[in-house]
Amino acid sequence: MRGFLHDGEGAGLFHFSADPKYQQEMKSLGFERIDGDKQWAMAIHDVSLKFAQDIKAQNLQGLDTDKLIAFKIHGVTPTLSLEFVRQV
């Protein structure tokens, strides 16, 4: 990682390294085809293994990695998803 900070503002470069363990653990939950780009998107939006497990436990239909990312973007939580499903 390289960068600079001046007067409270900064910029820099970094390199993201996908974690094969994360990919394997997500696959064990049924989430397939998580390449480096997908894992990067999931990391940016904080789609943790715990979040995926909690959402998966809600037994939602058609759940995939894109939906997990969308849930994080829109502030969906496992509790909120269950409340929504109950209202529909």
Side-chain angles (χ1 to χ4, degrees):
M1 183 198 272
R2 290 189 324 195
F4 70 91
L5 182 63
H6 180 71
D7 291 333
E9 294 184 14
L13 302 173
F14 67 93
H15 177 75
F16 175 76
S17 297
D19 182 358
K21 184 178 176 188
Y22 177 84
Q23 183 180 11
Q24 291 169 349
E25 290 173 338
M26 291 297 284
K27 186 176 182 178
S28 74
L29 291 175
F31 300 104
E32 307 267 344
R33 296 185 291 279
I34 300 176
D35 62 10
D37 290 339
K38 180 65 75 173
Q39 193 171 352
W40 165 242
M42 294 173 86
I44 288 173
H45 297 292
D46 193 28
V47 179
S48 66
L49 181 62
K50 173 86 167 104
F51 178 78
Q53 290 168 332
D54 290 348
I55 291 292
K56 179 126 176 135
Q58 302 305 315
N59 297 315
L60 301 174
Q61 297 296 316
L63 189 59
D64 60 18
T65 55
D66 289 334
K67 287 187 177 89
L68 290 175
I69 293 168
F71 285 174
K72 288 299 273 192
I73 289 170
H74 296 287
V76 174
T77 64
T79 303
L80 182 61
S81 70
L82 185 58
E83 287 177 26
F84 177 75
V85 169
R86 285 182 180 156
Q87 292 176 10
V88 173

XYZ file of all heavy atoms in Angstrom:
700
model
N 0.845 -1.159 0.000
C 0.000 0.000 0.000
C 0.900 1.234 0.000
O 1.839 1.321 0.758
C -0.909 -0.013 1.226
C -1.845 1.161 1.200
S -2.614 1.571 2.728
C -4.027 0.697 2.921
N 0.577 2.163 -0.885
C 1.302 3.434 -0.936
C 0.284 4.554 -0.958
O -0.782 4.427 -1.552
C 2.144 3.537 -2.206
C 3.330 2.630 -2.242
C 4.224 2.917 -3.392
N 3.445 3.317 -4.586
C 3.932 3.356 -5.800
N 5.162 3.021 -6.011
N 3.182 3.730 -6.814
N 0.634 5.664 -0.359
C -0.279 6.782 -0.373
C 0.305 7.975 0.345
O 1.461 7.977 0.757
N -0.522 8.999 0.468
C -0.093 10.186 1.174
C -1.277 10.805 1.897
O -2.432 10.567 1.564
C 0.533 11.211 0.223
C -0.458 11.855 -0.716
C -1.098 13.037 -0.368
C -0.746 11.283 -1.944
C -2.011 13.627 -1.226
C -1.649 11.874 -2.807
C -2.299 13.049 -2.442
N -0.960 11.612 2.893
C -1.963 12.313 3.666
C -1.446 13.720 3.892
O -0.290 13.922 4.304
C -2.196 11.602 4.999
C -3.244 12.173 5.926
C -4.627 12.108 5.267
C -3.268 11.426 7.243
N -2.285 14.715 3.576
C -1.886 16.112 3.751
C -3.115 16.929 4.129
O -4.122 16.895 3.419
C -1.261 16.648 2.453
C -0.832 18.075 2.535
N 0.242 18.474 3.284
C -1.356 19.191 1.978
C 0.381 19.785 3.174
N -0.594 20.244 2.379
N -3.044 17.627 5.238
C -4.150 18.464 5.712
C -5.478 17.703 5.793
O -6.527 18.215 5.395
C -4.315 19.708 4.829
C -3.161 20.696 4.982
O -2.537 20.708 6.067
O -2.893 21.440 4.033
N -5.432 16.486 6.259
C -6.644 15.713 6.436
C -7.195 15.077 5.171
O -8.244 14.451 5.192
N -6.513 15.231 4.058
C -6.941 14.600 2.806
C -5.834 13.662 2.341
O -4.654 13.919 2.572
C -7.210 15.652 1.740
C -8.382 16.545 2.078
C -8.723 17.528 0.979
O -8.227 17.356 -0.156
O -9.464 18.467 1.258
N -6.230 12.621 1.674
C -5.239 11.668 1.244
C -5.662 10.899 0.014
O -6.797 10.968 -0.435
N -4.713 10.193 -0.503
C -4.949 9.320 -1.652
C -3.901 8.220 -1.594
O -2.867 8.362 -0.950
C -4.847 10.087 -2.959
N -4.181 7.148 -2.288
C -3.210 6.073 -2.283
C -3.610 4.940 -3.194
O -4.679 4.944 -3.792
N -2.734 3.992 -3.284
C -2.945 2.804 -4.088
C -2.886 1.587 -3.176
O -2.157 1.578 -2.187
C -1.843 2.676 -5.153
C -1.697 3.836 -6.134
C -0.457 3.642 -6.994
C -2.935 3.936 -6.998
N -3.653 0.584 -3.507
C -3.609 -0.657 -2.757
C -3.907 -1.792 -3.724
O -4.375 -1.575 -4.837
C -4.600 -0.661 -1.587
C -6.035 -0.652 -2.033
C -6.733 -1.833 -2.186
C -6.671 0.542 -2.323
C -8.046 -1.829 -2.612
C -7.989 0.558 -2.737
C -8.675 -0.622 -2.884
N -3.647 -2.991 -3.268
C -3.914 -4.182 -4.070
C -4.811 -5.098 -3.249
O -4.494 -5.434 -2.110
C -2.604 -4.889 -4.429
C -2.804 -6.152 -5.187
N -3.151 -6.178 -6.506
C -2.723 -7.437 -4.798
C -3.283 -7.434 -6.902
N -3.027 -8.220 -5.877
N -5.943 -5.491 -3.820
C -6.862 -6.396 -3.156
C -6.471 -7.827 -3.478
O -6.283 -8.189 -4.637
C -8.304 -6.134 -3.624
C -9.298 -7.112 -3.065
C -9.726 -7.004 -1.755
C -9.799 -8.141 -3.843
C -10.643 -7.905 -1.228
C -10.716 -9.042 -3.327
C -11.137 -8.918 -2.014
N -6.380 -8.647 -2.459
C -6.091 -10.068 -2.639
C -7.291 -10.870 -2.156
O -7.648 -10.828 -0.970
C -4.855 -10.483 -1.833
O -3.713 -9.801 -2.288
N -7.920 -11.571 -3.088
C -9.073 -12.402 -2.745
C -8.647 -13.518 -1.798
O -7.561 -14.075 -1.934
C -9.698 -12.976 -4.015
N -9.502 -13.840 -0.848
C -9.225 -14.868 0.145
C -9.891 -16.179 -0.287
O -11.119 -16.272 -0.285
C -9.765 -14.422 1.498
C -9.494 -15.406 2.621
O -8.905 -16.485 2.359
O -9.870 -15.103 3.759
N -9.092 -17.196 -0.642
C -9.681 -18.468 -1.067
C -10.552 -19.111 0.021
O -11.527 -19.795 -0.275
C -8.486 -19.356 -1.395
C -7.278 -18.512 -1.322
C -7.651 -17.224 -0.678
N -10.228 -18.875 1.288
C -11.019 -19.435 2.387
C -12.431 -18.851 2.378
O -13.403 -19.566 2.593
C -10.331 -19.159 3.729
C -11.037 -19.789 4.902
C -10.300 -19.520 6.191
C -11.087 -20.079 7.361
N -10.512 -19.682 8.643
N -12.557 -17.549 2.117
C -13.873 -16.909 2.040
C -14.691 -17.553 0.924
O -15.859 -17.887 1.114
C -13.702 -15.409 1.790
C -14.998 -14.643 1.609
C -15.721 -14.193 2.709
C -15.492 -14.349 0.340
C -16.901 -13.488 2.553
C -16.677 -13.643 0.174
C -17.362 -13.212 1.288
O -18.539 -12.515 1.124
N -14.057 -17.746 -0.218
C -14.738 -18.367 -1.360
C -15.226 -19.771 -0.997
O -16.355 -20.144 -1.297
C -13.803 -18.419 -2.565
C -14.448 -18.973 -3.805
C -13.486 -19.018 -4.980
O -12.284 -18.827 -4.833
N -14.005 -19.293 -6.148
N -14.398 -20.550 -0.338
C -14.768 -21.916 0.056
C -15.917 -21.913 1.068
O -16.846 -22.725 0.967
C -13.562 -22.646 0.645
C -12.484 -22.958 -0.357
C -11.205 -23.447 0.314
O -11.052 -23.370 1.529
N -10.281 -23.938 -0.498
N -15.840 -21.002 2.043
C -16.885 -20.943 3.064
C -18.221 -20.497 2.456
O -19.273 -21.006 2.820
C -16.463 -20.017 4.204
C -15.332 -20.609 5.024
C -14.770 -19.647 6.054
O -14.923 -18.414 5.909
O -14.147 -20.134 7.008
N -18.170 -19.543 1.517
C -19.396 -19.106 0.846
C -19.957 -20.238 -0.017
O -21.169 -20.436 -0.078
C -19.138 -17.854 0.017
C -18.846 -16.611 0.847
S -20.214 -16.101 1.908
C -21.285 -15.364 0.690
N -19.074 -21.002 -0.650
C -19.521 -22.134 -1.463
C -20.221 -23.164 -0.597
O -21.230 -23.750 -1.012
C -18.328 -22.760 -2.191
C -18.722 -23.841 -3.167
C -17.522 -24.359 -3.946
C -17.957 -25.400 -4.946
N -16.832 -25.898 -5.743
N -19.728 -23.365 0.624
C -20.367 -24.329 1.522
C -21.777 -23.875 1.921
O -22.602 -24.699 2.306
C -19.513 -24.566 2.768
O -19.574 -23.462 3.650
N -22.054 -22.575 1.795
C -23.393 -22.040 2.063
C -24.277 -22.080 0.817
O -25.448 -21.728 0.877
C -23.304 -20.595 2.557
C -22.704 -20.381 3.937
C -22.565 -18.891 4.223
C -23.568 -21.051 4.998
N -23.678 -22.464 -0.321
C -24.452 -22.551 -1.556
C -24.240 -21.390 -2.506
O -24.933 -21.288 -3.520
N -23.295 -20.504 -2.200
C -23.001 -19.364 -3.067
C -21.794 -19.708 -3.936
O -20.678 -19.791 -3.446
C -22.745 -18.100 -2.242
C -23.918 -17.704 -1.398
C -23.920 -17.937 -0.035
C -25.025 -17.117 -1.972
C -25.004 -17.581 0.755
C -26.125 -16.749 -1.196
C -26.105 -16.987 0.165
N -22.044 -19.914 -5.216
C -21.020 -20.381 -6.155
C -20.458 -19.225 -6.990
O -20.987 -18.128 -6.984
C -21.632 -21.426 -7.092
C -22.324 -22.579 -6.392
C -21.434 -23.779 -6.172
O -20.375 -23.865 -6.807
O -21.805 -24.638 -5.361
N -19.412 -19.532 -7.736
C -18.812 -18.626 -8.726
C -18.451 -17.259 -8.139
O -18.830 -16.224 -8.679
C -19.722 -18.475 -9.949
C -19.907 -19.779 -10.716
C -20.709 -19.609 -11.978
N -22.104 -19.304 -11.755
C -23.044 -20.194 -11.471
N -22.737 -21.462 -11.357
N -24.289 -19.829 -11.295
N -17.725 -17.267 -7.059
C -17.237 -16.024 -6.474
C -15.789 -15.850 -6.917
O -14.861 -16.381 -6.310
C -17.346 -16.039 -4.934
C -18.801 -16.232 -4.524
C -16.780 -14.755 -4.348
C -19.025 -16.353 -3.032
N -15.612 -15.112 -8.006
C -14.263 -14.842 -8.506
C -13.692 -13.625 -7.770
O -14.320 -13.079 -6.859
C -14.274 -14.642 -10.022
C -15.110 -13.444 -10.471
O -15.543 -12.643 -9.616
O -15.321 -13.308 -11.689
N -12.509 -13.209 -8.151
C -11.859 -12.083 -7.493
C -12.665 -10.796 -7.573
O -12.765 -10.053 -6.590
N -13.261 -10.516 -8.739
C -14.071 -9.305 -8.898
C -15.312 -9.342 -8.006
O -15.677 -8.345 -7.390
C -14.496 -9.118 -10.357
C -13.332 -8.737 -11.264
O -12.305 -8.241 -10.742
O -13.448 -8.941 -12.486
N -15.959 -10.489 -7.936
C -17.153 -10.623 -7.088
C -16.767 -10.483 -5.614
O -17.453 -9.820 -4.844
C -17.836 -11.967 -7.346
C -19.078 -12.205 -6.527
C -20.193 -11.239 -6.862
C -20.814 -11.639 -8.178
N -22.018 -10.851 -8.495
N -15.643 -11.098 -5.242
C -15.215 -11.002 -3.846
C -14.853 -9.564 -3.499
O -15.122 -9.094 -2.399
C -14.039 -11.939 -3.566
C -13.774 -12.090 -2.085
C -12.778 -13.173 -1.773
O -12.369 -13.942 -2.625
N -12.382 -13.254 -0.521
N -14.275 -8.829 -4.436
C -13.962 -7.414 -4.238
C -15.256 -6.635 -3.979
O -15.341 -5.849 -3.034
C -13.216 -6.878 -5.450
C -13.130 -5.384 -5.549
C -13.643 -4.613 -6.542
C -12.482 -4.488 -4.649
N -13.376 -3.296 -6.303
C -12.652 -3.182 -5.141
C -11.792 -4.658 -3.455
C -12.159 -2.062 -4.497
C -11.292 -3.531 -2.812
C -11.473 -2.259 -3.340
N -16.279 -6.860 -4.795
C -17.562 -6.173 -4.615
C -18.166 -6.521 -3.255
O -18.714 -5.655 -2.560
C -18.525 -6.540 -5.736
N -18.054 -7.779 -2.870
C -18.601 -8.210 -1.587
C -17.823 -7.583 -0.435
O -18.410 -7.210 0.588
C -18.612 -9.734 -1.511
C -19.583 -10.350 -2.527
S -19.495 -12.135 -2.636
C -20.620 -12.571 -1.293
N -16.523 -7.427 -0.594
C -15.698 -6.800 0.444
C -16.038 -5.319 0.585
O -16.168 -4.807 1.708
C -14.215 -6.978 0.117
N -16.203 -4.631 -0.532
C -16.533 -3.199 -0.499
C -17.823 -2.968 0.278
O -17.951 -2.009 1.034
C -16.685 -2.642 -1.933
C -15.341 -2.535 -2.610
C -17.383 -1.285 -1.930
C -15.431 -2.156 -4.072
N -18.792 -3.856 0.106
C -20.099 -3.697 0.730
C -20.241 -4.475 2.036
O -21.339 -4.561 2.588
C -21.197 -4.079 -0.263
C -21.210 -3.181 -1.451
N -21.563 -1.857 -1.377
C -20.864 -3.396 -2.741
C -21.455 -1.300 -2.564
N -21.029 -2.214 -3.406
N -19.142 -5.036 2.516
C -19.098 -5.730 3.806
C -20.065 -6.911 3.875
O -20.785 -7.093 4.858
C -19.368 -4.739 4.955
C -19.031 -5.320 6.317
O -18.153 -6.202 6.401
O -19.655 -4.897 7.308
N -20.082 -7.701 2.818
C -20.874 -8.934 2.825
C -20.019 -10.005 3.507
O -19.257 -10.715 2.872
C -21.280 -9.370 1.400
C -22.070 -10.674 1.451
C -22.096 -8.278 0.720
N -20.135 -10.060 4.811
C -19.342 -11.005 5.593
C -19.962 -12.396 5.540
O -21.129 -12.568 5.163
C -19.274 -10.537 7.049
O -20.557 -10.605 7.639
N -19.190 -13.370 5.956
C -19.698 -14.737 6.058
C -20.869 -14.780 7.038
O -21.892 -15.415 6.773
C -18.572 -15.678 6.488
C -18.930 -17.143 6.612
C -19.386 -17.710 5.270
C -17.747 -17.936 7.139
N -20.760 -14.078 8.143
C -21.830 -14.024 9.146
C -23.103 -13.440 8.544
O -24.196 -13.969 8.762
C -21.366 -13.194 10.351
C -22.440 -12.914 11.377
C -22.556 -14.042 12.372
C -23.397 -13.639 13.557
N -24.730 -14.194 13.543
N -22.983 -12.346 7.782
C -24.149 -11.746 7.141
C -24.805 -12.749 6.194
O -26.023 -12.927 6.209
C -23.741 -10.476 6.383
C -24.881 -9.820 5.651
C -25.806 -9.059 6.335
C -25.016 -9.964 4.285
C -26.867 -8.451 5.675
C -26.061 -9.364 3.599
C -26.999 -8.608 4.304
N -23.987 -13.421 5.374
C -24.517 -14.418 4.435
C -25.215 -15.552 5.179
O -26.299 -15.992 4.781
C -23.398 -14.960 3.554
N -24.623 -16.027 6.268
C -25.237 -17.097 7.062
C -26.576 -16.648 7.641
O -27.559 -17.385 7.597
C -24.302 -17.514 8.208
C -23.076 -18.241 7.767
C -22.048 -18.375 8.886
O -21.969 -17.544 9.796
N -21.234 -19.421 8.797
N -26.608 -15.434 8.182
C -27.830 -14.921 8.805
C -28.942 -14.710 7.779
O -30.108 -15.032 8.051
C -27.545 -13.615 9.554
C -26.694 -13.826 10.801
O -26.516 -14.992 11.218
O -26.195 -12.825 11.339
N -28.604 -14.183 6.616
C -29.604 -13.982 5.571
C -30.072 -15.341 5.044
O -31.270 -15.574 4.861
C -29.057 -13.108 4.424
C -28.844 -11.662 4.896
C -29.971 -13.154 3.215
C -30.110 -10.886 5.208
N -29.137 -16.255 4.830
C -29.493 -17.590 4.331
C -30.443 -18.298 5.300
O -31.350 -19.020 4.885
C -28.230 -18.410 4.116
C -28.501 -19.811 3.627
C -27.756 -20.116 2.404
C -27.997 -21.561 2.025
N -28.260 -21.708 0.641
N -30.269 -18.070 6.587
C -31.114 -18.697 7.606
C -32.569 -18.240 7.514
O -33.453 -18.891 8.076
C -30.564 -18.413 9.002
N -32.825 -17.165 6.770
C -34.196 -16.672 6.606
C -34.955 -17.456 5.536
O -36.136 -17.209 5.302
C -34.192 -15.180 6.248
C -33.495 -14.302 7.263
C -34.040 -14.456 8.670
O -35.249 -14.485 8.861
N -33.151 -14.569 9.635
N -34.268 -18.388 4.856
C -34.880 -19.247 3.829
C -35.540 -18.459 2.699
O -36.641 -18.799 2.255
C -35.886 -20.217 4.459
C -35.216 -21.174 5.420
O -34.169 -21.729 5.117
N -35.795 -21.330 6.584
N -34.874 -17.408 2.248
C -35.390 -16.605 1.135
C -35.173 -17.343 -0.179
O -34.148 -17.989 -0.375
C -34.690 -15.245 1.093
C -34.836 -14.397 2.361
C -33.991 -13.143 2.250
C -36.287 -14.049 2.601
N -36.119 -17.236 -1.089
C -36.022 -17.894 -2.395
C -35.125 -17.080 -3.325
O -35.142 -15.846 -3.297
C -37.415 -18.018 -3.020
C -38.370 -18.886 -2.217
C -37.899 -20.332 -2.138
O -37.479 -20.910 -3.120
N -37.988 -20.903 -0.955
N -34.360 -17.767 -4.182
C -33.550 -17.114 -5.204
C -32.391 -16.300 -4.671
O -31.931 -15.357 -5.320
N -31.895 -16.639 -3.507
C -30.809 -15.885 -2.891
C -29.494 -16.186 -3.599
O -29.140 -17.345 -3.805
C -30.716 -16.252 -1.407
C -29.791 -15.421 -0.539
C -30.203 -13.954 -0.554
C -29.819 -15.951 0.890
N -28.788 -15.134 -3.996
C -27.480 -15.290 -4.621
C -26.568 -14.150 -4.155
O -26.983 -13.302 -3.356
C -27.587 -15.336 -6.150
C -28.195 -14.080 -6.755
O -28.233 -13.028 -6.087
O -28.621 -14.138 -7.914
N -25.339 -14.149 -4.638
C -24.380 -13.154 -4.182
C -24.787 -11.735 -4.590
O -24.556 -10.791 -3.842
C -22.968 -13.461 -4.707
O -23.001 -13.579 -6.129
C -22.422 -14.733 -4.092
N -25.406 -11.573 -5.755
C -25.856 -10.243 -6.163
C -26.915 -9.709 -5.210
O -26.930 -8.517 -4.885
C -26.395 -10.261 -7.597
C -25.299 -10.455 -8.627
O -24.133 -10.099 -8.342
O -25.599 -10.956 -9.721
N -27.787 -10.578 -4.744
C -28.815 -10.150 -3.788
C -28.193 -9.817 -2.432
O -28.620 -8.873 -1.767
C -29.897 -11.205 -3.658
C -30.793 -11.259 -4.886
C -31.968 -12.174 -4.691
C -32.865 -12.134 -5.901
N -32.533 -13.099 -6.927
N -27.190 -10.582 -2.014
C -26.508 -10.248 -0.762
C -25.897 -8.854 -0.841
O -26.014 -8.064 0.104
C -25.408 -11.276 -0.455
C -25.849 -12.682 -0.064
C -24.633 -13.588 0.093
C -26.679 -12.663 1.211
N -25.252 -8.555 -1.964
C -24.662 -7.230 -2.159
C -25.757 -6.167 -2.147
O -25.626 -5.131 -1.485
C -23.838 -7.181 -3.464
C -22.602 -8.079 -3.343
C -23.435 -5.742 -3.804
C -21.878 -8.330 -4.651
N -26.837 -6.404 -2.878
C -27.946 -5.443 -2.924
C -28.536 -5.225 -1.529
O -28.866 -4.095 -1.160
C -29.018 -5.919 -3.898
N -28.665 -6.292 -0.754
C -29.178 -6.151 0.607
C -28.299 -5.214 1.423
O -28.798 -4.359 2.152
C -29.265 -7.518 1.307
C -30.405 -8.384 0.860
C -30.505 -9.687 1.332
C -31.378 -7.941 -0.018
C -31.560 -10.506 0.948
C -32.432 -8.748 -0.408
C -32.520 -10.034 0.065
N -26.983 -5.393 1.327
C -26.066 -4.528 2.078
C -26.172 -3.080 1.601
O -26.177 -2.160 2.419
C -24.626 -5.029 1.962
C -24.347 -6.298 2.733
C -24.569 -6.137 4.224
C -23.340 -5.625 4.912
N -23.383 -5.701 6.365
N -26.269 -2.883 0.293
C -26.373 -1.527 -0.250
C -27.618 -0.822 0.291
O -27.585 0.357 0.629
C -26.395 -1.559 -1.796
C -25.018 -1.946 -2.326
C -26.847 -0.215 -2.375
C -24.981 -2.245 -3.818
N -28.715 -1.558 0.392
C -29.991 -0.967 0.786
C -30.295 -1.107 2.278
O -31.400 -0.800 2.717
C -31.119 -1.566 -0.052
C -30.978 -1.231 -1.495
N -31.221 0.027 -1.997
C -30.571 -1.975 -2.549
C -30.994 0.044 -3.298
N -30.588 -1.159 -3.654
N -29.320 -1.574 3.046
C -29.482 -1.628 4.493
C -30.372 -2.739 5.007
O -30.881 -2.661 6.127
N -30.548 -3.781 4.207
C -31.363 -4.917 4.648
C -30.571 -5.723 5.666
O -29.396 -6.003 5.479
C -31.759 -5.809 3.451
C -32.477 -7.064 3.916
C -32.607 -5.023 2.465
N -31.230 -6.077 6.735
C -30.627 -6.925 7.762
C -31.422 -8.222 7.829
O -32.541 -8.290 7.321
C -30.684 -6.235 9.139
O -32.055 -6.078 9.517
C -29.978 -4.892 9.125
N -30.893 -9.246 8.469
C -31.673 -10.483 8.602
C -33.021 -10.239 9.274
O -34.038 -10.787 8.857
C -30.776 -11.382 9.450
C -29.397 -10.907 9.144
C -29.526 -9.410 8.968
N -33.071 -9.397 10.268
C -34.335 -9.089 10.956
C -35.283 -8.358 10.018
O -36.465 -8.683 9.937
C -34.068 -8.224 12.201
O -33.153 -8.911 13.040
C -35.346 -7.950 12.961
N -34.769 -7.389 9.291
C -35.593 -6.619 8.365
C -36.130 -7.500 7.244
O -37.284 -7.381 6.855
C -34.794 -5.450 7.784
C -35.526 -4.508 6.833
C -36.698 -3.844 7.533
C -34.565 -3.460 6.304
N -35.319 -8.419 6.729
C -35.781 -9.287 5.645
C -36.908 -10.191 6.123
O -37.879 -10.413 5.419
C -34.634 -10.129 5.077
O -34.214 -11.115 5.987
N -36.817 -10.685 7.343
C -37.862 -11.551 7.894
C -39.165 -10.766 8.091
O -40.250 -11.238 7.771
C -37.401 -12.170 9.210
C -38.324 -13.193 9.853
C -38.595 -14.355 8.890
C -37.726 -13.707 11.133
N -39.061 -9.527 8.584
C -40.239 -8.690 8.749
C -40.912 -8.419 7.404
O -42.127 -8.463 7.287
C -39.860 -7.369 9.410
C -39.526 -7.498 10.876
C -39.086 -6.172 11.480
O -39.476 -5.110 10.964
O -38.343 -6.211 12.471
N -40.122 -8.136 6.387
C -40.663 -7.856 5.064
C -41.388 -9.076 4.512
O -42.499 -8.974 4.001
C -39.539 -7.427 4.115
C -40.021 -7.184 2.716
C -40.734 -6.032 2.413
C -39.773 -8.091 1.723
C -41.183 -5.796 1.118
C -40.226 -7.881 0.422
C -40.922 -6.722 0.126
N -40.767 -10.243 4.615
C -41.367 -11.464 4.100
C -42.689 -11.753 4.814
O -43.663 -12.171 4.194
C -40.404 -12.664 4.231
C -41.087 -13.978 3.959
C -39.203 -12.463 3.305
N -42.745 -11.491 6.096
C -43.978 -11.733 6.854
C -45.105 -10.796 6.403
O -46.264 -11.150 6.477
C -43.729 -11.538 8.346
C -42.965 -12.668 8.970
C -42.785 -12.459 10.442
N -42.050 -13.571 10.998
C -41.331 -13.484 12.124
N -41.265 -12.348 12.776
N -40.682 -14.528 12.576
N -44.750 -9.596 5.938
C -45.756 -8.630 5.506
C -46.280 -8.915 4.115
O -47.371 -8.488 3.771
C -45.184 -7.210 5.553
C -44.916 -6.730 6.957
C -44.267 -5.369 6.981
O -44.177 -4.694 5.973
N -43.810 -4.956 8.150
N -45.517 -9.623 3.318
C -45.919 -9.878 1.914
C -46.911 -10.986 1.815
O -47.217 -11.799 2.496
C -44.690 -10.186 1.054
C -45.095 -10.604 -0.334
C -43.781 -8.993 1.016
